[in-house]
Structures are given as structure tokens and as C-alpha cells.
Amino acid sequence: MEKFEQIFMHINGEAEKREKEQEQTYLDGLLSALEDTLDGVFSWQVEGATKEDMRKAIQIAILKGMRKGSQPNHQMTPDTLGLLVSYFVEQFFEKELQNRTISVLDLAVGTGNLLYTIMNTQDGKMQATGIEVDELLIRLAAATGDLIEQQVTLYRQDALDNLLVDPVDAIVCDLPVGYYPNEEVALDYELCATEGMGFAHYLFIEQAIRYTKDGGYLFFLIPASLFEGEEAKKLHQYLKANAWIQAVIQLPETLFSAKAHEKSILILQKQHKELRAPREVLLAKVPNMSNKQALAMFFEKVQMWKESK
Ligand code: SAM
């Protein structure tokens, strides 16, 4: 059995036990098992397990818990997407990552899976902040962050309100999609709707740009239809004035259960007086992950674009 499977066995067994004995949900049982692990109340050991083993084991347990419950906002960014975003973060910050720590902000950190997938691949080179409105999810993110020993500061709040965060080098965010109910807060945004509720995903993009340093990069998982529809004109105008689109990467349909759930990766750079827009926007489609040759060609295309930038 692999190490992450052994860890999963321990925490899953404990979560199930607590679910039955204490009449909790599986996710609550899992959370208390993780918090008790940190406090030394519940102990288990898997010799030689890495941070990635730990993250993967917790990820599988959280997925199991989310499938059992049916909270619509309980969505975790899966590894395949996290690893692709991680690859792009590495490409855009190649030089910086060799010399210094970079600051990263995830405005919708959820369980932390996306953020920790990226942080584990760049171990020790990132200092991160995460914002999340859901209490259970942010506590899961906090316990996981402590267990895998990543430097992260978490705030439980509405990410569209004012934040106590200095502008960062990089934003990573799997955008929540839908309408944003707080019309008063939305009034502070150029992208607020002319009438009624506006799109949360638009406002998140605007908020992310506000909290990015000039010249910094933003990596979003966006709904594939983000730039479609009448409302999208406003988004285009806003982006044109504040950011440079670096890349739009389509993801394979096979990764999503339905057309409506398909996502793409959008990479922006916040404008900077002394920098210029890329000569060409990288438009590419990630092939089916099982096609190794096509995947190699995709990465080659990215490298060629990077060299010509
Ligand atoms: N990347 C996350 C992960 O790996 O678990 C998943 C992010 S999920 C697609 C979007 C998250 O945004 C949900 O956890 C949801 O609770 C959160 N969210 C939605 N609206 C929010 C708001 N106004 N402020 C903060 N978080 C919000």
C-alpha cells in the first residue's frame, strides 16, 4: 500500500468512527480527527510520508465527505487542475523562484487543495494567504496547512469585502461562479451589475487585480463561458484598462462531468508602467491527459510561446 493510502486509512477510519459515535457528518469527523492529530490527542504514524502524501490522503477523505453531503459550495479543485496551474505558476515565476520567496493569495481557498498543490511543488518558496467564507472548509484548510507545514495565513470572511492583505506577487483562484448577493458591497466594483445582482466571478477578478502588485500575475480557473454574453463586454473593457491577458488555456472536456461545468485557465498580468503586453496571447488547448505525445507537444508550444514573449 502506498504511503498516502496508509494515511488515508488512519484518518478515514477515525472520521467514520466519529461520524457514527458522535452523530456528526463525515467531514466534521474528519476535521476533528485532523485537529486532534495536531493536538496530539489522536496519533498515528506512517514512516517517511511526505507533504504530498499527507495532502493527497486528506484530499481523498475530503472528496469522500463532500460526496456524502450535498453542499453546493463544497467543491474542491482536483489535482489535475492544481498541477496544471502549478506548472504555469512555475513558468511565469521561474527567475523569482530561484532567488526569493513569492507572495501568493487565493481569494476562494476552500479546502486549500489548489493552494497546497502549488505550494508543495514549490516547497518553501511561497508565503501564502487564503480567504474563505465557509467555516468548515477554512478549518479543513487550516488543519491541512499545519499538518503539511506550509506558511499560510487564513482569513474567514467575504473575499469581496476589504482585505487585510498587502498586494501580492501572484493570485491563484478557482473562481466561485454565480451571482453575488451583497449588492451594497458590489457597488464598490466597476464590474457591478447595472441592475440587480452581479456575477461573483467578475467581482472576484476585479478584487484579485486590486490585491496584485503592478506587474504581478494572476492564475484563474474560470468557467469556459466567461467571455460569452452581453455582460462580458464590460469585463473585456475592464481587463483592457487594468491587465494584460497572457494566456487562455482550454482544458479537456473529459475532466468535467457536464458542459456547463467546463473550465479554462486564464492568466493575466497586472499592468505596469515599465512593462509591456505580451506580443501574442497564448491560446492553447490541453489535450486528453492520457495522450502522452500530444501532452508533450502542448508543453513544447508553451515553451516556444514563452521564448517569443
Ligand atoms: N480551490 C478550492 C479548493 O481547492 O478547495 C476550491 C474553490 S471553490 C471552486 C470556490 C470557493 O469559494 C468555495 O469554497 C466557496 O465557499 C468560496 N466562496 C464563494 N463566495 C465567496 C466569498 N464571497 N468570499 C469568500 N469565499 C467565497
Side-chain angles (χ1 to χ4, degrees), residues 73 75 77 108-111 113-114 132-133 137 157-159 174 176:
N73 70 319
Q75 293 162 12
T77 311
V109 76
T111 63
N113 199 48
L114 170 65
E132 171 59 50
V133 78
L137 297 186
Q157 68 160 94
D158 180 346
D174 184 354

Side-chain angles (χ1 to χ4, degrees), residues 88 92 245-249 265-268 281-283 305:
F88 282 107
F92 279 84
I245 298 183
Q246 295 277 336
V248 182
I249 314 288
I265 298 176
L266 169 68
I267 305 174
L268 303 176
V281 175
L282 171 65
L283 296 174
W305 173 81

Side-chain angles (χ1 to χ4, degrees), residues 246-267:
Q246 295 277 336
V248 182
I249 314 288
Q250 241 182 301
L251 298 168
E253 299 86 357
T254 45
L255 293 181
F256 306 98
S257 58
K259 183 128 191 84
H261 300 151
E262 283 176 19
K263 293 187 184 196
S264 299
I265 298 176
L266 169 68
I267 305 174

